[in-house]
Amino acid sequence: MIKLKRYTALTLCALTLTTTPLSALADEYDQKIADQDKKISDLQQTEQSAEDQKAAVEQQVAAVEKEVNDVLKEKTNEEKKLSDLTAKIGILQEKIQKRDEQIRNQARDVQTKHDSASVVDAVINSKSVGEAVKKTMAVSTILTANKNIMEQQTKDKAELEKLEKEAEQRLQVINEKTAELKAKQDQLVQTKLDQQVKLNEIQASIATEKDQKEKYETQKEEAEKKRQAALKALEEQRKKEEEAREKAQAEVEKQAKKAAEEAQKAAEEAEKQAAAAETAKQKQEAEIAQLEAQQQEQQAKQQQEQAQTVTDTGAAQVTTNPTVPVTNESKPAANSSGWSSPLSIGLVVTSPFGPRQDPTGASGTQHDGIDFAGSAGTPIMASKGGTVVEAGFHWSAGNHVIIQHSDGYYSYYMHMVSAPSVSVGSEVGAGQVLGGMGTTGNSTGVHLHFGVSTALWSGFVNPAPLLGV
């Protein structure tokens, strides 16, 4: 009976030592989960603050976008006025040129037919007074007409000089507006990107902390399962102990009855039991020592498993490939498509066909052509022969030309520095100069926007394969 009690106590102690670390581990995970909840809550508050800042930034962005549109309108108006001035200057230059030629012809005629003595000779050589008067009036009329032409020529040249100065001033204003537009657009893009990066960082942190919380929750569930298994084992052990106690009690009663019947034998049995008790005591002590050794080994294994569970939380590192720099410079290769380079210089692509970040916010995120680099005034040539269907000024395309080709394609040449050198209805050949490179319209720098489509202003296709770039 004593042996049974000691064994029961030892078993309960071992099971208690087994389940206690599991309970403590579960409590530790509860604390870790609570800490993660606080981190997530703090980050979510930060995220909300960032969202509020984003709303404020969006208001600023809207204001900047309005400023961009206003500047773009001012730039467009100035470019339209400059285009009109250029046309007037062209007309006036043509008039002056024709008048110069007329003046030279008349001066030559006066020198050959009416020199400084023409009036005197006309009078002396006249057969009558009437004839002398007629000749005198003719010479005087020619001289008066020349004087009027010279006066008009002087006025037109003064007007031409005035228009050229005005055009120069407007060009300066356009350049200033272009620089202002570029600065505001850069500010707009940078503001959007900075705010988005900040939000992405916060959201990434929240996702990381949530992942860590889920890991702790999983580890807690595993610890709870182990604790439940230990409690179940403890309950089963208690049942076995109860059965053992009942069996031992029956055995004691049987032995007591037998001892009452045989006193002598009971005495001898008592001696035997005393000897057996001593042996049982040694055996019990050995069993206790063995159980204690097993308990220490089990505790060591549990501590090792707990340490492995806690330390095995490292996340795999993700290695990204470095971005390979892409060069945009290329020269058109010989091809049989019938298309040639629209520039006499090497083709340097600054923005390819397809999706892109809109630099101005006014043209959408789809780039319907290819932008080529160059300097102001670089000749722009027809890439293929055809009929000019548009030639003029557009708020977005600036000074531009559109050519319809016999194979159903349309080609586009945008942002010219001044009015095109061709007009609607003109038949042009490949390589014919259409104008000079500029930055008119919705543009932030000198370049040629070259596009190809299957219909007028729609059905745009990538022109790179046609040009061999």
Side-chain angles (χ1 to χ4, degrees), residues 117-301:
S118 295
V119 178
V120 177
D121 291 342
V123 175
I124 294 174
N125 296 325
S126 296
K127 296 180 179 180
S128 64
V129 175
E131 182 180 356
V133 171
K134 289 180 181 180
K135 289 182 178 182
T136 302
M137 291 180 64
V139 173
S140 176
T141 300
I142 292 174
L143 295 176
T144 301
N146 284 340
K147 180 181 178 182
N148 293 336
I149 290 173
M150 291 299 295
E151 290 177 352
Q152 185 62 42
Q153 187 76 336
T154 301
K155 290 180 180 179
D156 287 348
K157 286 184 177 181
E159 179 66 16
L160 176 60
E161 183 179 357
K162 176 183 176 183
L163 291 177
E164 288 176 342
K165 287 183 179 179
E166 183 179 354
E168 183 179 353
Q169 292 173 353
R170 292 197 179 280
L171 181 59
Q172 183 179 356
V173 171
I174 289 171
N175 291 335
E176 292 173 355
K177 294 296 180 183
T178 300
E180 182 182 355
L181 180 62
K182 181 70 167 60
K184 289 184 180 295
Q185 289 165 347
D186 290 345
Q187 176 190 353
L188 176 61
V189 172
Q190 188 62 43
T191 301
K192 288 181 178 178
L193 291 177
D194 289 346
Q195 190 62 23
Q196 191 59 46
V197 166
K198 183 177 181 180
L199 281 174
N200 288 344
E201 289 176 350
I202 295 173
Q203 291 166 354
S205 298
I206 291 175
T208 300
E209 298 300 337
K210 286 183 177 178
D211 289 342
Q212 188 65 31
K213 177 185 175 182
E214 291 176 359
K215 186 179 294 184
Y216 287 148
E217 288 175 342
T218 301
Q219 292 173 353
K220 178 187 174 184
E221 290 176 0
E222 293 175 354
E224 182 64 24
K225 289 179 181 179
K226 291 180 180 179
R227 190 174 74 88
Q228 292 298 330
L231 291 175
K232 184 178 179 181
L234 178 61
E235 184 63 26
E236 291 176 354
Q237 185 62 37
R238 285 174 179 171
K239 289 180 180 179
K240 290 180 181 180
E241 290 169 1
E242 185 64 28
E243 292 174 357
R245 280 194 297 270
E246 290 175 357
K247 185 177 180 180
Q249 184 66 31
E251 183 68 22
V252 169
E253 290 175 357
K254 181 180 179 181
Q255 289 177 359
K257 183 179 179 180
K258 188 176 181 180
E261 292 176 353
E262 299 179 1
Q264 184 62 34
K265 189 177 179 179
E268 295 176 357
E269 186 67 25
E271 291 179 1
K272 291 180 181 180
Q273 288 179 357
E278 184 65 26
T279 303
K281 180 178 180 181
Q282 295 175 354
K283 184 178 180 181
Q284 183 180 12
E285 289 175 353
E287 289 177 351
I288 291 174
Q290 183 180 6
L291 286 174
E292 289 176 349
Q294 292 176 350
Q295 177 184 353
Q296 292 176 356
E297 181 181 1
Q298 187 175 8
Q299 288 177 346
K301 287 182 179 179

Side-chain angles (χ1 to χ4, degrees), residues 327-333 341 345-349 370 372 464 467-469:
T327 177
N328 286 329
E329 184 170 355
S330 61
K331 293 185 178 180
S341 172
I345 60 176
L347 297 181
V348 178
V349 179
I370 299 179
F372 294 119
L467 296 178
V469 297

Side-chain angles (χ1 to χ4, degrees), residues 1-12 245 284:
M1 190 69 175
I2 296 173
K3 177 182 178 181
L4 179 62
K5 289 181 179 179
R6 289 184 178 179
Y7 180 79
T8 301
L10 183 60
T11 305
L12 288 172
R245 280 194 297 270
Q284 183 180 12

